[in-house]
Amino acid sequence: MDSILVTGNGPLNGQIPIAGAKNACLTLMPATLLSEEPLTLTNAPRLSDIKTMTALLQSLGAEVSSLQDGQVLAMSSHDLTSHTADYEIVRKMRASNLVLGPLLARFGEAVVSLPGGCAIGARPMDLHVEGLEALGAEIELEDGYLHAKVPGGLKGAVHEMRFASVGATENIVMAATLAKGTTVLKNAAREPEIVDLVECLRKMGAQISGEGTSTIEIQGVDRLHGATHQVVTDRIELGTYMLAPAICGGEVELLGGRMSLVSSFAEKLDAAGVSVTETDKGLKVARKNGRVRSVDVVTEPFPGFPTDLQAQMMALMCTAEGTSVLEERIFENRFMHAPELVRMGANIEVHGGTATVTGVDQLKGAPVMATDLRASVSLILAGLAAEGETTVSRVYHLDRGYEHVVRKLEGVGAKIERIKGQ
Ligand code: EPZ
C-alpha cells in the first residue's frame, strides 16, 4: 500500500485547479440508466470511486467509455442485461446504491446489496426504501440484498423524508422522473450535487422544480432522452484546499471555486481569521493576520457546515489560538482522524459526537494512518503545517476522492511525495 510523505515547508502560494464533484458524478452516472439514449458527462474527476461506479454500470450492461484522460464519460444503457448490484461492488462504495431508483424506474425491478457498515457509521438505507415504497415499490430484504419490484409501475406521490438524506433524495428524484403522475418530495436534501443532478435530468427531458430547496416536485414523463452535462465543481475538494493556506500561511487561488458552493464554510474561515475573496478565476484564500483563531463547528445538511469538511477543519483548529468545539451531527463515528492528529501533538478530547480541540503552537510530524477518505486529507493538511516529516499510510482512501493531490499541493510549494508501497 502506498503512503504519502509530507514535510512542513512554510507558506504555500500559487493556484490549485479544482476538479468536478465526486459526489455529483456518482449520482449523475446512474442517471444514464434512465434513458436508452447516450448521456455524456464532462469535467468528470479522475478518481477510483468513478472507476468503481463505471464497473458497476458495465456489470448491468451499460456502456461507459472514459475519454480525454477520464474527464469525459460517454455512457449508454440502451441494452441493459442485469438489474443486480453485487455486494462486492456495493461493499466497496456505498454510492453504488444510487442505481436502485433508476433501475426501478427503467426496469421495474432491482436487486441491490445493502452496503454494510463503513468506517464512519452504520449508513442504513431505510430512508431510500421508504421513499421508493411511497412511489409504489415493493422492497424486501433477503440475504443482505434489497429485492425491489414495482408490479404496476411507479406512481407519483407526496412523501416527506424523516431526514434530509442526500442519497435517498437522489434515488427518489431519479425514480420519480419516470413515475406516472406528480411526486412532491418534502424535507429533500439541498446539496449542490442534488441541484446538479436535477439540472442534468432536466436536460434529459425530466420535469422537475424546487431543487436546492426542501421541496422538490417532479412530474413523471414517459421517457427521457440523452444529454451532455458538465459536472459541477467539487465543493469538498475546494474547501479542503482552502484550508491549505489557512494552516500553512501564504495565498492560494482555487481555480473554478465559487463562493455559493462553500458559503457557510467560508463564513467559518472568516471568523477564524482567514480571508476568502472571489476572483474572476475562482476563490483566493489567505490568513488575514498571523495565527488563526479557534471557532466552533456544528455539521449540518446543506447549507450548514458540511460533514465532509469536519476532519479537515479539525486539522486547522489543532493549530489555532484557543479552544474549539466540533460537533458531528451527521455521522455517528466520524472522529477517527482525532487520535492520529494527537500523535502529531494535537490536543483533542472526543466525547461521543463532540470533539474539543485546544490549539497548540506547533504540530510535530509523525507516522499516521488514514482511516477514511476525508480523514486522510486532514492528516495531510496537518503534515503541511507540522515540523518535520509526516508519513500518511493507507492512502488508497485518498485516491477515492482526491485526484493528483501530490501534484496539486507541490504546485503551490508543498514538500510532498507519494511513496510506492511494497
Ligand atoms: C452523501 O452520502 C455523500 N456521499 C457523503 O460523502 C456525505 O458525507 C453525505 O452525503 C452527507 O452529506 C455521496 O454523495 C456519494 P446521507 P449519503 O444519506 O447520501 C443516515 C464523502 O466523503 N441515513 O445524507 O450516504 C446516514 O447513516 C462521503 O464524499 C439513514 O439513517 O448521506 C447518515 O448518518 C462520505 N438512513 C445520515 O443519514 C438512510 O436511508 C446522512 O446520510 C440514509 C441515510
Side-chain angles (χ1 to χ4, degrees), residues 43-309:
N43 193 38
R46 281 69 61 92
L47 302 168
S48 60
D49 270 9
I50 303 307
K51 293 194 172 77
T52 304
M53 182 59 82
T54 297
L56 172 58
L57 293 176
Q58 289 170 338
S59 76
L60 299 174
E63 287 165 29
V64 183
S65 308
S66 173
L67 313 168
Q68 292 178 32
D69 183 28
Q71 282 206 297
V72 173
L73 296 170
M75 304 177 290
S76 165
S77 60
H78 187 272
D79 305 312
L80 292 181
T81 54
S82 161
H83 48 257
T84 298
D86 266 351
Y87 174 57
E88 277 318 302
I89 293 186
V90 181
R91 180 172 62 86
K92 266 190 349 182
M93 185 183 68
R94 173 187 168 80
S96 309
N97 65 18
L98 294 171
V99 301
L100 178 58
L103 284 174
L104 270 183
R106 176 86 179 281
F107 252 116
E109 62 177 301
V111 179
V112 174
S113 168
L114 273 184
C118 93
I120 61 177
R123 304 186 76 180
M125 282 188 61
D126 52 330
L127 299 171
H128 297 244
V129 169
E130 286 165 18
L132 294 170
E133 284 177 338
L135 298 181
E138 291 170 10
I139 304 179
E140 300 297 328
L141 175 62
E142 280 164 43
D143 53 11
Y145 281 77
L146 291 177
H147 292 256
K149 51 182 185 300
V150 197
L154 291 169
K155 290 184 183 56
V158 178
H159 177 68
E160 179 158 2
M161 290 201 297
R162 288 180 287 116
F163 173 81
S165 155
V166 171
T169 300
E170 291 161 348
N171 254 330
I172 297 163
V173 165
M174 286 193 281
T177 58
L178 295 177
K180 287 184 183 51
T182 300
T183 296
V184 177
L185 182 60
K186 296 181 174 180
N187 196 22
R190 300 168 55 190
E191 276 69 2
E193 292 75 33
I194 308 265
V195 173
D196 204 42
L197 171 65
V198 169
E199 285 172 358
C200 177
L201 292 171
R202 198 174 285 132
K203 286 177 191 169
M204 296 170 73
Q207 306 285 318
I208 307 179
S209 60
E211 70 279 10
T213 76
S214 299
T215 301
I216 300 178
E217 187 165 314
I218 307 109
Q219 273 78 31
V221 294
D222 293 339
R223 57 191 297 281
L224 294 179
H225 49 73
T228 296
H229 180 76
Q230 178 178 311
V231 179
V232 69
T233 301
D234 191 323
R235 63 192 170 96
I236 305 303
E237 187 193 26
L238 171 60
T240 300
Y241 286 124
M242 287 166 72
L243 286 166
I247 204 166
C248 293
E251 181 177 83
V252 174
E253 185 174 29
L254 293 317
L255 305 180
R258 294 203 315 271
M259 191 66 92
S260 59
L261 291 171
V262 287
S263 48
S264 67
F265 178 67
E267 278 165 28
K268 272 296 168 190
L269 285 189
D270 182 67
V274 179
S275 73
V276 182
T277 45
E278 281 208 302
T279 68
D280 56 353
K281 295 200 193 93
L283 295 181
K284 196 168 272 190
V285 179
R287 283 180 188 158
K288 288 187 219 171
N289 42 32
R291 194 172 172 189
V292 299
R293 290 185 302 279
S294 297
V295 290
D296 293 343
V297 168
V298 177
T299 65
E300 295 173 307
F302 195 87
F305 189 99
T307 175
D308 292 349
L309 286 172

Side-chain angles (χ1 to χ4, degrees), residues 311-329:
Q312 299 90 314
M313 187 69 174
M314 187 184 285
L316 178 65
M317 291 297 102
C318 289
T319 67
E321 191 155 2
T323 295
S324 76
V325 176
L326 294 97
E327 197 182 331
E328 173 55 59
R329 286 193 180 165

